[in-house]
Amino acid sequence: MPVERRLPNGLRVVMVEKRGLPVVTAALVADGGAAGDPDGRAGVGELAAGLLTQGTRTRSATEIARAVESLGGSIASGAGWDSQSVTLTVGSAQAAPALGILADVARNPAFDQAEIDRLRTRTIDGVSVALTDPGQLSGLVADRAVFGAAPYGHPASGTPATLKAITRSDVAAAYARSWQPDRTTLVLVGDLTSDAGMALATRLFGDWRGTPGAAPVAPPQTTLPAPRVIVVDMPGAGQAGVVVARPGIARGDQSYFPAAVANATLGVGFSSRLNQEIRIKRGLAYGARSELDARRNGGAVSASTQTKNPSAPEVVKIITDELRRMGAEPAPEAELATRKAVLTGNFGRTIERTSGIAGTIVTYVADGVPLARIATFLPSIEAVGPAAVQQAAARVMDPKAASIVVVGDAKQFLEPLRAAYPGLVVVPAASIDLGRADLGAK
């Protein structure tokens, strides 16, 4: 079980002693990620997090990389919707100097303009590629369809326009909103005693005072748009990306575990219902999947695939039928047993490693879930029965509340889809604006 303590400045310290392998994983996770991006500055949270390892007041990006490598370790930083984090794994004999680098990275980022420009350019390149890929673009449009103008709706990585508008001051402000000691958790997992971990935490972070006056990130607004059917016309696209998505639940919701089993039954793994119906029985796609994306302040449930353009309407019907069936009838116990095995097996493999344990703790912290629930994950999954799965699915998978997004060569599927959904909206891919809740639709 994790041991939790706090420093006088409010920094939360979570420690898990794991002997048997001389390795330590340390992670710092701060409240506030992409959900806190200001209007017109989508992507600034991810940009700020990515820049943490790209230079401090005393070390360049190259010097950070060389110093960590010389200790036999690895370091990475990034942002989620509700957090920013830096993670380091190193041999336990090198924990003290390595954590010194971790502290420097988190506390003293330089945000050098050249590094900002370099990461911005690389991010814009990646976003631009995503905008031309039906599968990736359909997911981004689905987020807008589900969340609209709410903070979870914009692209976490930004758009070419919002990324170009970000200034160094924007990056520094995004950092200050998150990286305050009383909003940050230090996670230490591995071959390190609790006393030794607290001594390191006190030495490296005890005098951290953060940025005076930095305001905490406000919770995302909860007013969501009505479901929409959106076709993004991408002439010449070889395939169509299909997503059916709707509002879901927060990670701390009491229905999370039955919803997780329902999602695994619907679309996690080769034997899931969506993959069986779309790939195995009909050969309409290479694979199909669903996701229960439960975040701190809500989330989404989505089902997605890529298929030949002419078969997009058929795939939409299969997905909506399967979503509806999950809540309309109980799943057989035998089917649920195999799906629960997928979840428990994945969890078991994850917590075999120090990095996996640390990553799990970081996720629970980011999502605002008590860490004591980590120990109850396996029994909570095993305890879920058919009635609970059906009830959860009826609540979070009913396709009546879902938006439908199809990105592809519209002339090959538009009329059959319009026959089923007369109110659908068509947006040309060349003019789509993910920075706007209406996607730039006329």
Side-chain angles (χ1 to χ4, degrees):
M1 285 292 293
V3 175
E4 295 188 50
R5 299 181 187 173
R6 282 194 183 270
L7 298 185
N9 61 5
L11 180 77
R12 181 186 184 191
V13 184
V14 177
M15 295 165 287
V16 177
E17 189 173 337
K18 185 175 175 62
R19 300 293 187 174
L21 192 65
V23 173
V24 170
T25 295
L28 277 167
V29 54
D31 287 348
D37 290 351
D39 290 342
R41 295 296 186 271
V44 69
E46 284 199 358
L47 195 65
L51 287 163
L52 293 178
T53 55
Q54 301 306 305
T56 70
R57 296 168 195 164
T58 57
R59 292 181 172 99
S60 68
T62 300
E63 288 170 336
I64 291 170
R66 286 177 177 170
V68 173
E69 287 175 2
S70 71
L71 297 172
S74 61
I75 191 170
S77 61
W81 280 108
D82 298 299
S83 67
Q84 296 186 33
S85 61
V86 188
T87 303
L88 179 147
T89 297
V90 70
S92 53
Q94 306 298 334
L99 261 68
I101 299 171
L102 180 72
D104 188 29
V105 162
R107 294 182 57 178
N108 305 305
F111 298 131
D112 180 77
Q113 189 63 52
E115 294 294 346
I116 293 174
D117 293 341
R118 185 176 294 111
L119 183 55
R120 185 210 318 267
T121 297
R122 190 164 73 241
T123 305
I124 289 174
D125 288 344
V127 169
S128 298
V129 170
L131 294 176
T132 66
D133 179 84
Q136 294 184 69
L137 182 56
S138 60
L140 294 169
V141 173
D143 283 342
R144 271 301 190 196
V146 172
F147 295 109
Y152 287 156
H154 70 266
S157 296
T159 71
T162 62
L163 288 164
K164 289 174 184 176
I166 292 171
T167 66
R168 185 182 183 281
S169 295
D170 293 326
V171 172
Y175 167 82
R177 282 192 297 271
S178 290
W179 291 95
Q180 302 293 321
D182 59 347
R183 299 176 215 154
T184 301
T185 299
L186 172 63
V187 180
L188 298 172
V189 180
D191 188 19
L192 191 71
T193 67
S194 297
D195 288 344
M198 277 303 295
L200 280 171
T202 301
R203 178 165 64 83
L204 296 171
F205 297 98
D207 62 348
W208 185 19
R209 296 295 176 263
T211 305
V217 177
Q221 69 183 63
T222 56
T223 302
L224 302 179
R228 295 178 275 178
V229 180
I230 301 170
V231 170
V232 179
D233 186 17
M234 187 179 287
Q239 286 192 317
V242 178
V243 180
V244 180
R246 52 153 293 159
I249 56 175
R251 179 60 181 82
D253 192 287
Q254 62 181 5
S255 298
Y256 174 78
F257 291 106
V261 176
N263 178 65
T265 304
L266 178 68
V268 177
F270 189 82
S271 300
S272 66
R273 291 183 177 185
L274 288 178
N275 203 60
Q276 288 280 334
E277 294 296 326
I278 293 173
R279 173 181 172 164
I280 297 172
K281 291 183 180 180
R282 295 173 177 84
L284 296 174
Y286 183 75
R289 62 187 294 270
S290 65
E291 181 179 11
L292 174 68
D293 186 2
R295 307 170 189 167
R296 176 177 290 198
N297 295 292
V301 173
S302 63
S304 61
T305 190
Q306 291 190 73
T307 187
K308 294 175 291 186
N309 283 288
S311 58
E314 182 182 359
V315 167
V316 168
K317 185 177 187 307
I318 293 170
I319 291 174
T320 54
D321 285 349
E322 289 302 319
L323 284 165
R324 188 178 298 106
R325 187 161 73 96
M326 285 298 308
E329 58 189 54
E333 284 273 15
E335 181 184 19
L336 293 186
T338 65
R339 310 326 298 157
K340 288 190 282 189
V342 170
L343 296 175
T344 58
N346 288 343
F347 182 82
R349 286 188 294 274
T350 297
I351 61 172
E352 287 177 349
R353 308 180 308 277
T354 59
S355 58
I357 297 171
T360 299
I361 293 172
V362 165
T363 299
Y364 275 59
V365 170
D367 291 338
V369 181
L371 297 186
R373 294 190 188 174
I374 296 175
T376 68
F377 182 91
L378 294 176
S380 295
I381 291 292
E382 292 294 352
V384 172
V389 169
Q390 183 181 355
Q391 184 178 18
R395 177 186 172 195
V396 303
M397 290 182 172
D398 186 348
K400 290 180 181 178
S403 289
I404 297 168
V405 177
V406 182
V407 179
D409 191 349
K411 65 179 180 291
Q412 300 188 52
F413 60 78
L414 184 59
E415 292 314 312
L417 193 64
R418 197 194 301 274
Y421 302 98
L424 65 78
V425 175
V426 180
V427 184
S431 63
I432 200 161
D433 185 356
L434 291 168
R436 295 173 47 174
D438 64 1
L439 301 167
K442 303 297 185 183

